[in-house]
Amino acid sequence: FRGKPELRFKNLPICEVMSSEEVKDVPQNTQDLTVFVQKLLEQMQSRFQDMSDAIIQRIDDMGGRIDELEKSIGELMTQAGIEESTPAIAGAEGGS
């Protein structure tokens, strides 16, 4: 990088956490500030949970695709007359 590196966040609206108008609305006394911070933390927690749920869903989807791929490969190997073997199992049997 030459010059100042840029920070880029995909699908993470950091700039939306607080607008310039919201900064003006930040409470000045301690009690109101505490409530404000609690609400802000709740919003962040909610966004984090949404992102976490989306990641878990994508991992689950990927796992399903891998299972389907393994099944398809097994069917192709059966059609071709190739015997299936698992390298880890074959290696364990040969070592005893």
Side-chain angles (χ1 to χ4, degrees):
F1 287 93
R2 288 190 178 173
K4 187 176 181 181
E6 291 182 36
L7 295 178
R8 296 180 186 174
F9 298 97
K10 279 190 171 181
N11 300 324
L12 185 60
I14 296 291
C15 60
E16 292 181 17
V17 173
M18 289 183 67
S19 67
S20 58
E21 296 235 353
E22 289 174 319
V23 172
K24 292 176 188 175
D25 294 338
V26 172
Q28 299 302 315
N29 68 45
T30 307
Q31 187 176 7
D32 288 345
L33 185 58
T34 301
V35 171
F36 176 81
V37 170
Q38 286 175 341
K39 287 181 182 179
L40 187 60
L41 289 173
E42 288 171 4
Q43 289 174 354
M44 292 173 64
Q45 175 68 30
S46 176
R47 289 181 182 176
F48 179 80
Q49 188 62 49
D50 291 346
M51 287 188 292
S52 178
D53 292 344
I55 290 169
I56 289 170
Q57 182 61 47
R58 288 181 181 178
I59 290 171
D60 289 345
D61 291 346
M62 187 61 69
R65 290 179 187 165
I66 290 170
D67 291 343
E68 290 175 14
L69 181 59
E70 288 175 342
K71 181 179 175 186
S72 296
I73 290 171
E75 290 171 355
L76 288 172
M77 291 175 72
T78 301
Q79 290 173 2
I82 300 171
E83 188 176 319
E84 285 189 60
S85 65
T86 306
I89 295 172
E93 291 175 357
S96 298

